[in-house]
Amino acid sequence: MQQSRSLIALMLLILIVFSAHAQEEAWSVRGNVIDASDTTALVGATVLMINIKDSTRTRFAVTENDGSFVVSDLEQAFYRLQISSVGYKTYRRVMRLTVPEATLGTLSLEQYVKVLDEISVEGEVVPMEQLGDTTQYNADAFKTNPDASATDLVSKMPGIVVDGDGVSANGESIEQVLLDGKRFFGQDPLLSLNTIPADMVDKIQVYDEESDQAQLTGFDDGNTIKTMNVVTKEDRRNGQFGKAYAGYGTENLYEAGVTINSFNQDQRITLLGMTNNINQQNFGSEDLAQVSGGRGSFRRGGGDNNFITGVQDGITRTHSLGINFTDSWGEKATFEGSYFFNQTNNSSDQLLSRESSLATGQQFYDQNQRATTKNLNHRLNTRIDYQINDNNNLLLRSAISYQNNQSSENTSGQTTLADGELLSETDNNYSSLNQAYSISNDLIYQHKFSKIGRTISLEVNSRISPTRRESYLEDLVLDSLTEYLTDEGQYTLGSSVVYTEPIGTLAQLAMKYEVSHTSRQSDRDTYTLQEGDAVKSFSEVLSNDFTSGYTIHSPSVRYSIRQFGSHFNAELGFQRAILSNRQFLPTEGQSTRHFNSLLPSITSRFELSDNANLFVRYATSTTEPSVSQLQGVLDNSDPLFLSVGNPNLDQTYSHSLRLRFQKNNVDRNTSLANFTNVTASSDYISNSTTIVSEDSISAGGIVFQEGAQLTTPVNLDGYWNVQNNTTYGVLISPLKSNLNASIGLGYQRLPGMINDEENIANAYSANARVGLASNISEKIDYNIYYQINGSRVLNSLQSGSNSQYYTQTLGAKLNLIFGKGFVFRNETYFQRYTGANDQFDTDYTLWNMGIAKKFLKDDRGELELSVFDLLGQNQSFDQTVSAQYLEETQTEVLQRYFMLTFTYQLRRFEKGSS
């Protein structure tokens, strides 16, 4: 009955809102203009508001006797503000008008007092501009090779760094790349930038993009994505461009690929494909690891590979195909879509060393694993934006994926004490066949009322993601075979309604109600076969039948006030969460948990000056435990590292604070930024690890070896994560180069349990990096950098297990065009690694070199002879820190080979383009 009343009340509210009326308000901008030297009012100054999208909508005003002005009859759009007066320097600024009555405050004009004996006019492109909350780089100010990609271009810009982890701007990761404001290959920034030629780019814009909901309603909900928008040159928006390449090398190594783009104003098609057996993987990581084939997680390479992107550990053969399509369907609808097919075959040999912290001392585990993985993936993403009319809009986002994964592993490992005494060992074969698919949809309907700022929107989302696994464990020590047949699934349905109402001329109020339900199930049948047995036996203790439901109801209210250059948002939300678990195997039981949480948040942005701003965000959130963490079934697929779930887990409650200061000096072409992230969590889901003290057999016949570890998730308080990063970028004119420098500090407090005793792992980290990229000419292109990363871990339970490790990296890249179409390319990458375990201490040099000759018309063709890893020293390693252990791995990678490659560049634009 109560739910029916709530539903009726909600429907009445919507009906009342839809029946409301208000007159349209005329938008305006007001302010004051003064003399910068003596602060007197400037009379008769001309104030222009130039509509960037439609110059015919330009409006102006003249300042009064007190220097005040009001520019009326404006609209919600981007404007170029220009204030001019005789004898004064012209004031220019780009602004986005987001409120009906914007107040600019007092604006100062500087007197133009410079006297010139001789007038000399020299055109020069301004490298960087600050346009409100957007940093804009002008591509013509940066020199690149003729066949460079947008990746090469942005790496020369102040504050932007491209490395093995992706693309970052002022220390923050770029999460998506847009092409002329439209999504390009989903959420893969490196793939997008590698596909776009540098000579097509007019401008690069970096900003925080608001969520779809915020863009539709005009109300900032605090959810933003760090975005890079690539603006193309007007004469490059109609035509075909791309490249095709093929190469063959020693030891039957090969690579081939093609990228074709066809642009016709709003209609844009990009087709790309590749095949190789040299570890090149240019699609997203979800193509590799959506379904984990083995028992461990997917790992990257050890080094910060700054220039050779998309390289996997092990030896990999890849076949990939992708297409991206965008178009405007009439004046009301736009379509964006992409499809990817990816097939990889990977083999790797990995060494692992793990050091566990115990109250009685240290325990060591060393492992050698040989693995092969075959992965096949299809992904389809679409986005349809339909503007029904001026007041109604419909947005539909859909994603479909399918993955088939096969893997096999041979693992041998030993557990020893500090004195070398052997506790236990394992030698096993593990194989797995996994199939999964996922379908998700998100539909947003939004209505704008006649009163500016009054909107209502409804969002409905759904997701289904079932998975099927068939796995086998052959224990060569115990002479046993175990079969696992697992069906898992997750099904989510949610909706929300948001109503916004303007308050005065500068503020808005938003009321939101959100409800969602997620149903999760896991069904695993386990069969065992001992040596000499003729038939397999069902193992009830290793089998599982488990369902979990998670429902949330969350009303919230948000207040927002926005002025030119700054805004402030405050939100208070309440979340009622219900977690229901039911288990049938290995034991029967059910439980229902209720969680009530207040979720406050504050977001603010202050414009400190024309080129400096401060961003502050405090937020709270909750995280529910996963199915694997909840289900109380023993997982013995790794005989020395067993695990079991905990159905009594609580949700995690977190506080997060984000501070970001940014200052861009456009006159000196410098970029300075500092950001700090702080996260503190209560009921943090950590692990409780029990070390088996002696060989034993459970009531269900499960063997526990001495020294083996049994891990169970538990809730613990006291988790902290603090990260601080400062970046500085500057164009050094005498060197015609761009300098980027950064320094970072970090601290993590990781609580955990070992043998029922709490251990706090305090992890301290620091890193510094300095890089220099050339801006000399189109024929000389270099990029050098030095980086050092270090970490120290202090354990409260056993100080003898404290450890530290660090890496030093020196990288250099040179592209030199000389003679009649000759190109010399060189990449050198030196790394020294000093780990917690002397076993992995190493240094190596990865040296790649190539010589190429360009030919055909306009140098469209190129033949290159190259060598990868000239010295044969390439290596890969990784580190993992937790409250229970420190782990280091070293993985087999591809080493020296020679290759001859032919590349053809396609450039065909409409008449008037080159």
Side-chain angles (χ1 to χ4, degrees):
M1 179 65 68
Q2 183 64 35
Q3 291 182 344
S4 299
R5 291 175 180 174
S6 299
L7 181 59
I8 292 173
L10 179 61
M11 293 176 65
L12 287 175
L13 173 62
I14 295 175
L15 289 173
I16 292 172
V17 169
F18 267 101
S19 64
H21 294 279
Q23 297 296 320
E24 287 195 21
E25 299 180 3
W27 290 45
S28 63
V29 167
R30 65 178 63 246
N32 290 275
V33 181
I34 63 172
D35 186 306
S37 60
D38 58 13
T39 69
T40 59
L42 282 183
V43 183
T46 302
V47 182
L48 279 176
M49 290 289 291
I50 304 170
N51 190 307
I52 295 178
K53 185 177 180 181
D54 183 4
S55 60
T56 63
R57 295 287 298 160
T58 296
R59 298 292 182 264
F60 74 95
V62 178
T63 56
E64 304 291 343
N65 291 334
D66 60 354
S68 65
F69 67 87
V70 178
V71 184
S72 304
D73 194 23
L74 301 175
E75 59 186 87
Q76 186 175 8
F78 276 97
Y79 284 90
R80 182 179 293 107
L81 171 64
Q82 180 175 304
I83 305 176
S84 58
S85 182
V86 178
Y88 291 86
K89 296 180 181 179
T90 301
Y91 180 94
R92 292 184 177 88
R93 192 174 192 175
V94 173
M95 62 178 290
R96 180 169 52 188
L97 198 58
T98 58
V99 294
E101 294 185 10
T103 301
L104 304 185
T106 300
L107 306 175
S108 303
L109 264 61
E110 297 181 2
Q111 294 185 19
Y112 192 81
V113 297
K114 187 174 182 180
V115 179
L116 298 177
D117 295 330
E118 181 180 348
I119 298 177
S120 175
V121 179
E122 182 178 341
E124 183 175 340
V125 179
V126 178
M128 180 174 60
E129 300 175 89
Q130 188 66 38
L131 309 179
D133 56 1
T134 298
T135 303
Q136 179 170 283
Y137 302 88
N138 294 306
D140 289 342
F142 303 91
K143 308 298 183 182
T144 59
N145 292 153
D147 55 356
S149 68
T151 302
D152 303 311
L153 174 65
V154 301
S155 65
K156 297 177 178 295
M157 298 174 173
I160 298 182
V161 174
V162 181
D163 57 25
D165 294 324
V167 187
S168 63
N170 293 318
E172 295 183 272
S173 296
I174 298 295
E175 299 179 58
Q176 71 173 358
V177 169
L178 306 181
L179 186 63
D180 292 324
K182 297 182 179 180
R183 283 150 191 83
F184 194 61
F185 283 113
Q187 305 294 317
D188 196 332
L190 271 180
L191 173 61
S192 300
L193 292 175
N194 284 332
T195 306
I196 304 170
D199 61 8
M200 286 190 59
V201 181
D202 182 31
K203 294 177 176 60
I204 296 291
Q205 299 171 336
V206 178
Y207 58 94
D208 293 321
E209 185 181 63
E210 296 177 336
S211 67
D212 288 321
Q213 186 77 265
Q215 292 182 56
L216 289 172
T217 62
F219 186 88
D220 185 3
D221 60 6
N223 298 318
T224 60
I225 298 176
K226 201 67 178 181
T227 299
M228 177 178 289
N229 181 37
V230 179
V231 181
T232 59
K233 298 175 181 177
E234 290 188 10
D235 61 355
R236 294 294 191 272
R237 296 176 184 174
N238 289 303
Q240 296 80 42
F241 62 94
K243 69 176 181 179
Y245 63 92
Y248 187 77
T250 54
E251 301 181 16
N252 293 321
L253 296 176
Y254 66 89
E255 65 170 344
V258 63
T259 302
I260 300 176
N261 300 270
S262 178
F263 284 13
N264 183 11
Q265 295 299 335
D266 291 329
Q267 185 183 91
R268 299 185 173 186
I269 303 173
T270 298
L271 176 68
L272 57 84
M274 62 183 298
T275 178
N276 68 79
N277 60 355
I278 57 173
N279 287 23
Q280 292 296 323
Q281 173 66 45
N282 286 328
F283 291 166
S285 59
E286 60 189 286
D287 292 322
L288 300 172
Q290 181 179 330
V291 177
S292 177
R295 294 162 288 183
S297 61
F298 173 80
R299 283 194 177 89
R300 289 185 61 255
D304 175 19
N305 197 328
N306 194 52
F307 304 120
I308 308 158
T309 59
V311 179
Q312 292 178 250
D313 292 339
I315 309 299
T316 305
R317 184 170 68 252
T318 302
H319 308 290
S320 303
L321 178 68
I323 184 170
N324 190 86
F325 177 75
T326 63
D327 195 11
S328 293
W329 295 343
E331 297 181 355
K332 294 186 176 182
T334 60
F335 175 85
E336 301 171 8
S338 62
Y339 165 76
F340 291 97
F341 164 78
N342 198 40
Q343 183 180 32
T344 60
N345 296 330
N346 175 268
S347 62
S348 66
D349 195 353
Q350 184 183 83
L351 297 176
L352 179 147
S353 179
R354 176 183 291 190
E355 178 182 334
S356 300
S357 307
L358 309 178
T360 56
Q362 296 166 277
Q363 182 172 295
F364 300 90
Y365 174 73
D366 294 292
Q367 173 185 286
N368 190 333
Q369 184 181 86
R370 183 71 182 175
T372 59
T373 303
K374 297 180 179 179
N375 189 79
L376 182 145
N377 178 274
H378 297 269
R379 285 192 288 133
L380 175 65
N381 294 275
T382 63
R383 174 190 172 99
I384 300 175
D385 193 343
Y386 178 60
Q387 186 175 354
I388 302 172
N389 51 45
D390 291 341
N391 295 323
N392 297 278
N393 197 85
L394 200 62
L395 175 65
L396 174 62
R397 298 177 303 217
S398 300
I400 303 174
S401 68
Y402 169 79
Q403 188 169 36
N404 183 293
N405 181 288
Q406 302 178 53
S407 68
S408 61
E409 303 170 358
N410 174 257
T411 304
S412 59
Q414 294 183 332
T415 302
T416 60
L417 296 177
D419 59 4
E421 178 185 350
L422 178 65
L423 292 180
S424 58
E425 60 182 339
T426 183
D427 187 5
N428 64 78
N429 294 319
Y430 183 85
S431 61
S432 182
L433 173 62
N434 310 278
Q435 290 182 311
Y437 70 88
S438 174
I439 301 175
S440 64
N441 291 283
D442 192 6
L443 178 66
I444 302 177
Y445 167 76
Q446 185 253 342
H447 174 77
K448 294 180 180 179
F449 296 90
S450 57
K451 184 177 182 179
I452 295 176
R454 177 181 291 172
T455 69
I456 190 167
S457 60
L458 176 66
E459 180 174 3
V460 180
N461 56 76
S462 65
R463 178 182 175 89
I464 60 173
S465 51
T467 302
R468 169 73 175 175
R469 294 188 176 94
E470 183 178 337
S471 308
Y472 298 88
L473 171 66
E474 181 184 11
D475 193 320
L476 302 178
V477 175
L478 301 178
D479 292 325
S480 65
L481 177 66
T482 306
E483 179 185 41
Y484 309 91
L485 303 177
T486 305
D487 285 298
E488 296 178 349
Q490 180 166 312
Y491 311 90
T492 300
L493 180 63
S495 65
S496 64
V497 59
V498 181
Y499 172 73
T500 66
E501 178 70 22
I503 300 177
T505 58
L506 299 176
Q508 270 187 315
L509 188 70
M511 292 169 285
K512 179 179 181 179
Y513 185 83
E514 180 180 5
V515 59
S516 70
H517 175 75
T518 300
S519 176
R520 302 172 292 184
Q521 62 87 21
S522 177
D523 185 359
R524 186 173 78 179
D525 294 333
T526 304
Y527 301 88
T528 61
L529 181 66
Q530 298 292 335
E531 183 180 13
D533 291 350
V535 295
K536 59 185 181 181
S537 303
F538 179 74
S539 175
E540 187 171 294
V541 70
L542 294 177
S543 298
N544 182 56
D545 189 354
F546 180 86
T547 61
S548 175
Y550 186 71
T551 303
I552 64 169
H553 296 266
S554 182
S556 63
V557 59
R558 175 182 284 261
Y559 173 79
S560 174
I561 183 168
R562 182 187 292 268
Q563 298 184 37
F564 180 67
S566 64
H567 68 261
F568 173 82
N569 297 317
E571 180 179 13
L572 180 62
F574 173 78
Q575 185 188 84
R576 169 75 167 177
I578 305 170
L579 177 63
S580 301
N581 300 324
R582 185 169 185 181
Q583 182 168 288
F584 301 94
L585 285 176
T587 59
E588 289 194 36
Q590 66 180 48
S591 63
T592 300
R593 317 285 300 281
H594 296 84
F595 307 97
N596 298 315
S597 306
L598 284 177
L599 300 175
S601 70
I602 295 175
T603 304
S604 185
R605 181 183 184 275
F606 306 95
E607 186 161 313
L608 305 179
S609 66
D610 290 350
N611 300 312
N613 62 79
L614 176 66
F615 177 85
V616 181
R617 176 171 171 79
Y618 164 76
T620 52
S621 61
T622 62
T623 306
E624 74 274 18
S626 67
V627 171
S628 61
Q629 293 172 329
L630 288 169
Q631 54 192 12
V633 59
L634 182 68
D635 183 354
N636 70 334
S637 59
D638 193 334
L640 297 186
F641 296 93
L642 306 99
S643 63
V644 62
N646 179 3
N648 296 315
L649 286 175
D650 292 335
Q651 65 174 196
T652 298
Y653 186 88
S654 299
H655 303 263
S656 64
L657 176 65
R658 184 179 184 87
L659 302 172
R660 182 183 68 208
F661 169 79
Q662 183 173 338
K663 179 178 177 61
N664 295 320
N665 191 322
V666 296
D667 295 326
R668 298 182 179 180
N669 295 316
T670 63
S671 174
L672 175 66
N674 176 276
F675 74 88
T676 301
N677 286 330
V678 181
T679 302
S681 300
S682 57
D683 287 324
Y684 173 72
I685 300 179
S686 183
N687 286 319
S688 176
T689 300
T690 301
I691 310 298
V692 179
S693 58
E694 60 182 11
D695 293 345
S696 59
I697 300 178
S698 70
I702 307 304
V703 176
F704 295 89
Q705 298 186 56
E706 181 183 3
Q709 299 183 11
L710 176 63
T711 300
T712 303
V714 293
N715 291 112
L716 295 174
D717 293 331
Y719 170 84
W720 282 85
N721 187 348
V722 182
Q723 302 292 328
N724 179 270
N725 186 270
T726 301
T727 61
Y728 177 74
V730 59
L731 283 175
I732 305 176
S733 298
L735 297 179
K736 294 185 177 181
S737 300
N738 172 48
L739 176 71
N740 277 321
S742 66
I743 184 170
L745 300 172
Y747 167 72
Q748 273 191 300
R749 186 182 189 272
L750 299 167
M753 302 290 293
I754 302 179
N755 287 339
D756 296 326
E757 295 186 72
E758 186 177 36
N759 178 58
I760 303 297
N762 294 287
Y764 303 87
S765 61
N767 65 81
R769 176 189 174 109
V770 59
L772 191 68
S774 71
N775 195 31
I776 298 175
S777 73
E778 295 182 350
K779 295 186 177 182
I780 301 175
D781 188 0
Y782 67 79
N783 194 335
I784 59 176
Y785 78 98
Y786 171 78
Q787 180 171 318
I788 182 169
N789 300 284
S791 180
R792 179 170 175 79
V793 182
L794 305 179
N795 293 282
S796 63
L797 192 61
Q798 175 55 258
S799 59
S801 61
N802 295 339
S803 58
Q804 63 184 23
Y805 57 86
Y806 66 91
T807 60
Q808 297 182 74
T809 306
L810 178 63
K813 173 183 177 181
L814 173 66
N815 285 353
L816 181 64
I817 300 176
F818 63 96
K820 294 183 178 181
F822 286 94
V823 183
F824 174 73
R825 299 185 176 103
N826 186 85
E827 297 179 9
T828 307
Y829 171 80
F830 171 81
Q831 187 164 79
R832 172 168 291 169
Y833 174 69
T834 303
N837 189 327
D838 294 342
Q839 175 186 356
F840 290 156
D841 286 0
T842 186
D843 56 62
Y844 71 95
T845 299
L846 178 60
W847 187 2
N848 302 333
M849 187 185 301
I851 184 74
K853 177 66 171 70
K854 292 184 176 295
F855 58 101
L856 301 180
K857 183 181 179 180
D858 297 326
D859 289 338
R860 299 303 187 204
E862 178 187 282
L863 191 64
E864 179 185 29
L865 178 63
S866 61
V867 54
F868 174 83
D869 189 22
L870 179 63
L871 303 180
Q873 297 182 4
N874 190 25
Q875 298 182 39
S876 174
F877 41 81
D878 195 14
Q879 311 90 16
T880 303
V881 177
S882 77
Q884 290 78 23
Y885 61 83
L886 171 68
E887 181 179 282
E888 297 175 291
T889 59
Q890 185 174 16
T891 309
E892 166 196 23
V893 290
L894 194 65
Q895 291 189 325
R896 181 172 52 223
Y897 65 86
F898 293 84
M899 182 164 289
L900 184 66
T901 305
F902 170 73
T903 303
Y904 180 79
Q905 300 281 347
L906 172 65
R907 296 287 190 275
R908 184 183 300 154
F909 297 98
E910 286 188 356
K911 187 176 181 180
S913 302
S914 57

